Amino acid sequence: MDIVVKGRKTEVPERFRKHVAEKLNLEKIQKLDGKVISLDVEVSKEHNPRQADRSDRVEITLHSRGPVIRAEAAAADPYAALDLAHGKLEARLRKQHDKRFTRRGSGRLSAAEVADVVPGVAALNGSGQVVPEETGEVPTTKVGPLEVQGEGPLVVREKTHKAAPMTLDQALYEMELVGHDFYLFVDSDTKQPSVVYRRHAYDYGVIHLESDPLAEGGGVGGALGG
């Protein structure tokens, strides 16, 4: 990973460049974000005497295969500004790292436990097979285009979005940007509705939907975990 230090309307002394290399602990940064490609550090100076306490500004931009992370700060000298910007960058990296860890943590339910937590869902046994419900007359109500058996509760929200076709790489970037575990998009190569999703660690999966007039019902809703 490279660190690029540059000045905007000011000269950057070699001593400060060395200090940047020492201050930005690359090993620690890569532990928080293993997809880092490069770090840009831009130093600028405000010559207005009224802003002497904020005359030096440092902006750190982290480029990776995920979203770009930026932190900036101003102080009376570039070293103090670098310390402040570095603190902000590390806090944002740690927040992003913890968010990924939480999403991939051990708080997921087994198939057999879902029925105990989600009302109205079919109960499964340890083998993932549906447990037959007791027979009896169950009231049916209509919610929008759906017929719902039982009392629910059921919350239905239907949305339609216009989306320009995009590549798989762009879909991955957009998914990381919004911090979701999946992202629905139209593949610019296949022109098919597609879903990219997070699997394990930094592995991703993608599902393409292809219309089949001979197929009967069903879908791929259960395939995201594969």
Side-chain angles (χ1 to χ4, degrees):
M1 182 175 67
D2 298 325
I3 299 180
V4 178
V5 183
K6 56 186 176 181
R8 178 156 57 92
K9 298 181 180 179
T10 186
E11 292 292 329
V12 180
E14 188 62 30
R15 178 188 171 195
F16 184 77
R17 294 179 185 273
K18 291 180 180 179
H19 181 71
V20 169
E22 294 171 358
K23 184 69 178 179
L24 300 182
N25 189 324
L26 297 184
E27 184 177 349
K28 187 174 182 179
I29 290 175
Q30 287 178 320
K31 282 183 180 179
L32 294 173
D33 189 343
K35 298 196 238 179
V36 177
I37 298 172
S38 66
L39 275 170
D40 289 344
V41 178
E42 184 178 88
V43 183
S44 59
K45 192 169 186 67
E46 173 59 55
H47 297 284
N48 187 340
R50 294 181 180 179
Q51 298 185 17
D53 59 335
R54 297 172 54 84
S55 60
D56 290 277
R57 177 174 295 275
V58 172
E59 180 179 296
I60 307 174
T61 305
L62 184 149
H63 299 275
S64 73
R65 292 190 292 276
V68 173
I69 298 177
R70 182 175 289 108
E72 62 179 312
D77 64 81
Y79 294 91
L82 177 64
D83 288 345
L84 293 172
H86 173 257
K88 292 180 181 179
L89 178 73
E90 188 170 306
R92 288 169 187 172
L93 280 172
R94 195 172 297 281
K95 182 178 179 180
Q96 186 183 60
H97 176 269
D98 292 345
K99 188 176 182 181
R100 285 197 302 263
F101 180 80
T102 301
R103 286 202 304 263
R104 298 169 192 157
S106 58
R108 296 183 180 180
L109 302 174
S110 66
E113 296 173 317
V114 172
D116 297 330
V117 178
V118 183
V121 75
L124 305 178
N125 60 22
S127 302
Q129 298 173 329
V130 177
V131 178
E133 296 181 359
E134 296 181 3
T135 57
E137 188 172 342
V138 180
T140 300
T141 55
K142 192 170 183 63
V143 181
L146 304 176
E147 288 189 354
V148 183
Q149 290 187 332
E151 297 180 357
L154 177 69
V155 178
V156 176
R157 184 172 64 175
E158 185 175 335
K159 282 189 175 183
T160 301
H161 291 278
K162 292 182 180 180
M166 65 177 64
T167 64
L168 177 58
D169 286 343
Q170 180 64 22
L172 284 170
Y173 174 79
E174 295 290 341
M175 182 182 73
E176 290 288 357
L177 199 62
V178 297
H180 290 173
D181 286 331
F182 67 92
Y183 191 81
L184 178 65
F185 69 105
V186 177
D187 194 302
S188 58
D189 294 328
T190 65
K191 304 298 186 289
Q192 295 173 328
S194 306
V195 174
V196 64
Y197 62 96
R198 193 188 314 279
R199 297 182 72 247
H200 310 289
Y202 294 114
D203 292 340
Y204 301 95
V206 61
I207 296 173
H208 301 289
L209 291 184
E210 185 177 46
S211 177
D212 184 355
L214 300 179
E216 295 183 1
V220 294
L224 283 180

